[in-house]
Amino acid sequence: MITSFRPPLWSRGVVLGLTVALAACGGDSDDHYVPDTQHYQATIERTTYGVPHITAGSYGGAGYGHGYAIAEDNLCTLADAFVTFRGERSKYFGPDGKAAVMGTFGSPDNLPADLFFRFVVDDERVAAFRDAQPANIRDLSKGFAAGFSRYVREIQAGEHDGRHQACRDADWLAGISEDDVYRRLVALNLAASSANLLPAIASAQPPGAGLTLRTAGDDAVALNPDRFKVGQEAGIGSNTLAFGADVTDTGRSLLFANPHWYQLGVDRFYQLQLTIPGRLNVSGVSIMGAPMVLMGFNDNIAWAHTVSTASRFTVYALALSPDDPTVYIKDNEPHAMTAVTVEVPVKQGDGSLQTVTRTLYESEYGPMINPAVLNPAVSWNTTQAFTLRDINLENTRSFQNFFAFDHARSLQDFYDAITEFVGIPWVNTTAIGRDDDRALYSDITAVPNVPDAVLQGCAVPGFSAPLLEAGVVLLGGTNSACDWQDDPDSRQPGAFGPGNLPHLFRRDYVANMNDSYWLTNADNPITGFARIIGQEDYRQSLRSRLGHTLVEDRFAGADGLAGSQVSSENLRQIVVNSRNLSAELLKDEVLSAVCGAPSGTEAQACQVLTAWDNRANLDSVGAHIWTALFEGGDDYDGLRDIENLWATPFDAQDPVHTPRGLNSAVTGQVQTAFSAAVAAVVDSGVALDAEVGEYQKYLKPETDIPQFGGEGSEGYFTVLRNTYMHVVDFPEGEPVRAFTFLTHGVSDDPASDYYGSYTQAYSQKNWHRVPFTREQIEDARISTLELSE
């Protein structure tokens, strides 16, 4: 049992007054699985690339089929992740290995990960989350656990010979319970908040505690803005374009979804269809371990998500009592922190287990944090300490919101679900409906209610401003006036209500490429919202600019394709065309500056870049030279590092087309960068005239599949992190029409028949027409499996 000797933080939030009866659900895998006595039945039909279509007569049966199918495809990865979410990594793997290859909580060491999950995602919080869910989500989750566990039992009984060699005989492979599913969901809730501060929470200690805890990269994260993004790195995000009826060839709405997510690990997407006749029929993707579809379409609605710029947590600076560093002063009154004892079984070198005990602390806001992640010069000392309040630790509505999307029957129904729950934890949403001429954008999500007046009035001098630039809101914690506020329509204490959150309906288009809500439509910016949600009137990323440029070029008929309207066919071409905006804006002027009288390899580089098509398709030649020049390297600055690079600066009145042009005053720096970039390419061993497909491979172990596209920071819309894509519309009088890619495929088991085929299709830009109706599924069916228990 994971013991945390304090009332749950959620008892002050939406579950106020909830009495939770705690079962012995926790710490060790020998105890946490109790077979469900409920009867389950499901049919799993697989179609092209192994995509499962699951049909059942109940939510429990649908979850059962999903749990079994995903275990067939990704057993080792998901089972390993459940070890993580239970805080058992040190028990099986020792304290010093990495808890994840990649994912929403980064790649911390095992012991910090165990401390975090046993402290933040403990039994009380999991029980509170579980008991807040409606019966249909509980049935779905119970069924998922039962289906996954059935496949585990079959593997342990010696079935499925040759499959899942990485874990089939492992002592940590175990079945899961309903609560394990909720542990996964709570962990996913925290992807843009507490999970990004995992080492800081696990290592937070008052002065004199003497704890030395190795954490990943704490010496290099001060004010690094990537440190506070999902996954603690740049590149995690998405593109979406949604078009209303006024601009499409059919006079009906059209949607493109394109998350840039994880290609390895448990946070990958999993494509499937869930059908309960007469109640549910939804297709799309889930993030592995979540039992419902999180992004997809049914026969009336299609939607997409992109990572939002809104902050999901605030840090509070506490002034401490001079007598005790675990007592803070607020409103001139002392408040004692709550000490929480966390125990972690740790495997020793000789294979024995030793229990490591840590005392971690909470304020009334939430977990205490080690402020070294904000600035190495700052510490929890005798006068100050830092704590965290996380909107999504208090948000039990998130997956109810997604579940409502799965069932939506119109765009208005979909929007009503957004405003009813305000539970989406950290993503924007775009959507279209069958019989609606509009496209919807929404960042009506769970956001701390910190109006600009509070943000400014509660700032900590010398710290709040630079942290805000890095994506962290720091407030003073000495006055209750700095606490989160409530709106009349708030769906949870301390959250903005839907009336103070941005959304937009348009009959032409809406778009988001991970900049804020401000430029959802280039001709109609959204303004007037709190800074904690996002910036306004600010320079957009090159990827955002190219997204709007693609739309602009289509409307003008300037993209080399026929006509000026958007169709499913031309949209599928546009979004994988691998254009590079930085090259379109700068290449000609840069070459004029550096290619006057080159010699040797620089002369060859000039020739290659001159002929380059400014794209990164598999047969494009020269893209890697431009990447080396624009992005720079470890020992030299690239073009993007040059101050005052642009001739025309950013203009908020023309955000899609500015900045632009090369500033002639920086020609010397451009020449230096060019010489260094050419030398770096030569040193890499890749030929200057190499095609993209020769050196750029998809991140799929044991394969050698070429990959087109590039980095968003360089101005590619078609990025290397493309993971799932769909283009969906609703032809009049016909079923929903959807084309998809799941670029890493449904399975990460090299022994699977479906391991590499979907990735190969993506490499060849061979879109998959997804079967949705009963007739379509039967025509494309590869296999059928009937399950009952």
Side-chain angles (χ1 to χ4, degrees):
M1 180 85 178
I2 303 172
T3 51
S4 301
F5 303 107
R6 85 290 194 198
L9 291 177
W10 288 342
S11 66
R12 297 190 298 275
V14 292
V15 291
L16 183 64
L18 178 68
T19 300
V20 178
L22 295 178
C25 58
D28 298 330
S29 61
D30 295 336
D31 305 324
H32 52 67
Y33 175 58
V34 178
D36 198 316
T37 58
Q38 185 172 342
H39 178 70
Y40 296 109
Q41 195 165 16
T43 300
I44 304 173
E45 298 168 281
R46 292 188 183 266
T47 59
T48 309
Y49 309 125
V51 174
H53 304 257
I54 297 155
T55 304
S58 67
Y59 288 102
Y64 184 71
H66 182 182
Y68 189 94
I70 199 170
E72 278 190 301
D73 292 328
N74 302 282
L75 176 67
C76 298
T77 295
L78 197 50
D80 179 88
F82 283 120
V83 174
T84 302
F85 302 141
R86 290 191 293 261
E88 295 181 342
R89 297 205 66 80
S90 299
K91 174 181 177 180
Y92 292 105
F93 308 117
D96 298 328
K98 294 298 181 185
V101 61
M102 60 174 62
T104 58
F105 55 89
S107 298
D109 289 349
N110 289 336
L111 182 55
D114 290 341
L115 290 168
F116 174 86
F117 283 106
R118 288 178 173 241
F119 177 46
V120 175
V121 192
D122 69 346
D123 290 347
E124 289 176 308
R125 292 192 173 100
V126 169
F129 188 92
R130 176 195 68 215
D131 293 346
Q133 305 310 308
N136 49 17
I137 289 182
R138 291 204 59 180
D139 288 346
L140 189 73
S141 301
K142 290 176 186 176
F144 184 94
F148 182 89
S149 299
R150 171 177 172 165
Y151 191 81
V152 170
R153 294 195 302 273
E154 291 175 357
I155 285 288
Q156 291 175 332
E159 299 181 43
H160 311 294
D161 186 44
R163 298 297 307 277
H164 312 292
Q165 294 297 325
C167 70
R168 64 180 298 131
D169 298 319
D171 59 351
W172 48 265
L173 178 64
I176 61 173
S177 69
E178 177 190 1
D179 277 4
D180 283 316
V181 178
Y182 300 133
R183 291 181 195 282
R184 197 287 174 267
L185 296 184
V186 173
L188 194 54
N189 242 16
L190 307 181
S193 47
S194 293
N196 288 315
L197 294 171
L198 184 155
I201 292 171
S203 61
Q205 293 287 285
L211 172 64
T212 300
L213 180 63
R214 193 175 138 214
T215 57
D218 277 356
D219 58 344
V221 298
L223 298 183
N224 175 3
D226 293 342
R227 180 63 177 78
F228 305 106
K229 294 178 179 177
V230 174
Q232 303 164 44
E233 58 180 314
I236 300 297
S238 306
N239 298 327
T240 182
L241 302 170
F243 299 93
D246 286 358
V247 298
T248 65
D249 68 330
T250 62
R252 303 175 71 83
S253 53
L254 176 66
L255 180 134
F256 167 62
N258 179 205
H260 312 148
W261 205 234
Y262 298 97
Q263 297 174 3
L264 300 172
V266 72
D267 288 312
R268 299 193 334 273
F269 286 111
Y270 186 68
Q271 186 172 358
L272 75 162
Q273 182 173 353
L274 292 174
T275 303
I276 305 172
R279 302 183 72 181
L280 173 70
N281 193 12
V282 63
S283 182
V285 288
S286 176
I287 295 177
M288 287 174 53
M292 69 283 293
V293 169
L294 301 182
M295 177 174 8
F297 53 91
N298 59 35
D299 204 29
N300 296 292
I301 288 293
W303 74 98
H305 296 299
T306 61
V307 175
S308 163
T309 60
S311 297
R312 309 299 169 174
F313 67 94
T314 62
V315 175
Y316 281 94
L318 303 179
L320 301 181
S321 165
D323 302 319
D324 187 342
T326 64
V327 175
Y328 58 98
I329 307 300
K330 181 179 177 183
D331 296 329
N332 298 315
E333 296 289 334
H335 297 259
M337 299 175 194
T338 301
V340 181
T341 300
V342 181
E343 296 181 346
V344 179
V346 178
K347 186 176 184 178
Q348 306 300 298
D350 61 1
S352 64
L353 291 178
Q354 175 182 323
T355 298
V356 171
T357 301
R358 295 283 186 257
T359 300
L360 299 174
Y361 294 85
E362 289 180 338
S363 71
E364 66 187 89
Y365 298 107
M368 301 302 296
I369 63 173
N370 174 357
V373 299
L374 307 179
N375 189 314
V378 183
S379 64
W380 180 350
N381 55 38
T382 57
T383 62
Q384 69 177 0
F386 295 83
T387 188
L388 174 77
R389 186 175 179 188
D390 185 338
I391 194 76
N392 284 316
L393 263 179
E394 305 170 25
N395 174 13
T396 61
R397 307 171 316 285
S398 48
F399 295 93
Q400 297 173 44
N401 209 150
F402 289 115
F403 198 60
F405 289 169
D406 290 357
H407 293 79
R409 297 185 177 184
S410 68
L411 187 60
Q412 187 62 49
D413 191 19
F414 187 94
Y415 177 71
D416 289 346
I418 291 175
T419 57
E420 175 187 353
F421 291 102
V422 195
I424 298 301
W426 39 265
V427 288
N428 306 288
T429 301
T430 60
I432 60 170
R434 172 177 289 279
D435 295 316
D436 201 302
D437 291 340
R438 303 168 298 170
L440 167 67
Y441 162 84
S442 169
D443 197 356
I444 298 177
T445 53
V447 184
N449 193 327
V450 181
D452 288 352
V454 173
L455 189 69
Q456 296 161 11
C458 296
V460 179
F463 288 96
S464 290
L467 285 172
L468 186 60
E469 290 300 312
V472 177
V473 175
L474 173 64
L475 304 173
T478 60
N479 191 321
S480 57
C482 297
D483 290 351
W484 296 355
Q485 301 188 1
D486 291 316
D487 292 333
D489 58 347
S490 293
R491 301 300 190 253
Q492 73 183 65
F496 280 117
N500 280 321
L501 293 163
H503 78 281
L504 183 67
F505 284 100
R506 294 288 301 179
R507 290 174 59 91
D508 52 358
Y509 86 101
V510 296
N512 186 267
M513 284 68 68
N514 303 125
D515 276 301
S516 79
Y517 57 83
W518 173 57
L519 213 64
T520 293
N521 181 288
D523 295 326
N524 292 272
I526 304 173
T527 59
F529 291 91
R531 174 63 179 82
I532 195 171
I533 305 170
Q535 297 184 70
E536 299 174 8
D537 296 330
Y538 76 107
R539 178 174 161 179
Q540 303 290 281
S541 74
L542 285 168
R543 175 162 57 89
S544 288
R545 291 175 61 188
L546 181 54
H548 290 289
T549 299
L550 293 174
V551 173
E552 182 180 84
D553 288 353
R554 178 82 299 263
F555 290 172
D559 54 10
L561 302 174
S564 60
Q565 294 177 313
V566 187
S567 68
S568 173
E569 182 180 7
N570 63 37
L571 183 57
R572 281 178 272 132
Q573 296 178 61
I574 289 165
V575 297
V576 294
N577 65 18
S578 298
R579 284 175 61 177
N580 182 312
L581 185 60
S582 65
E584 292 180 11
L585 293 172
L586 288 170
K587 190 188 77 171
D588 290 347
E589 293 176 78
V590 166
L591 294 184
S592 293
V594 303
C595 294
S599 60
T601 55
E602 290 187 21
Q604 184 184 0
C606 285
Q607 293 173 354
V608 171
L609 284 176
T610 299
W612 175 43
D613 63 1
N614 297 343
R615 302 190 181 210
N617 290 312
L618 295 184
D619 59 355
S620 295
V621 176
H624 61 311
I625 305 175
W626 184 260
T627 296
L629 173 57
F630 189 82
E631 298 280 273
D634 293 338
D635 56 354
Y636 71 95
D637 288 343
L639 297 181
R640 70 173 186 172
D641 301 309
I642 297 175
E643 190 174 358
N644 299 318
L645 173 69
W646 303 95
T648 301
F650 170 70
D651 181 354
Q653 300 304 309
D654 189 16
V656 174
H657 305 112
T658 61
R660 63 175 180 268
L662 181 65
N663 181 359
S664 60
V666 300
T667 299
Q669 293 167 270
V670 170
Q671 179 64 66
T672 299
F674 179 71
S675 298
V678 173
V681 172
V682 171
D683 289 345
S684 74
V686 178
L688 290 169
D689 60 354
E691 294 184 353
V692 167
E694 296 176 39
Y695 60 82
Q696 190 163 274
K697 306 296 182 179
Y698 198 86
L699 188 60
K700 186 80 173 176
E702 301 184 28
T703 68
D704 187 36
I705 301 172
Q707 184 180 10
F708 54 85
E711 295 292 348
S713 57
E714 193 181 335
Y716 286 102
F717 184 86
T718 311
V719 302
L720 295 175
R721 281 187 178 273
N722 278 352
T723 45
Y724 173 71
M725 307 173 82
H726 70 221
V727 172
V728 183
D729 66 346
F730 302 98
E732 187 171 4
E734 299 178 23
V736 61
R737 178 174 61 174
F739 296 86
T740 69
F741 286 122
L742 185 69
T743 63
H744 46 64
V746 298
S747 178
D748 65 2
D749 178 11
S752 169
D753 292 338
Y754 314 118
Y755 182 64
S757 56
Y758 218 157
T759 309
Q760 289 280 8
Y762 174 68
S763 178
Q764 297 161 13
K765 300 185 181 181
N766 183 18
W767 286 85
H768 173 41
R769 173 73 185 270
V770 180
F772 183 82
T773 67
R774 169 57 24 207
E775 181 180 9
Q776 290 168 347
I777 293 168
E778 290 176 355
D779 286 345
R781 187 169 55 203
I782 295 171
S783 66
T784 302
L785 178 63
E786 301 285 351
L787 293 174
S788 63
E789 178 177 340

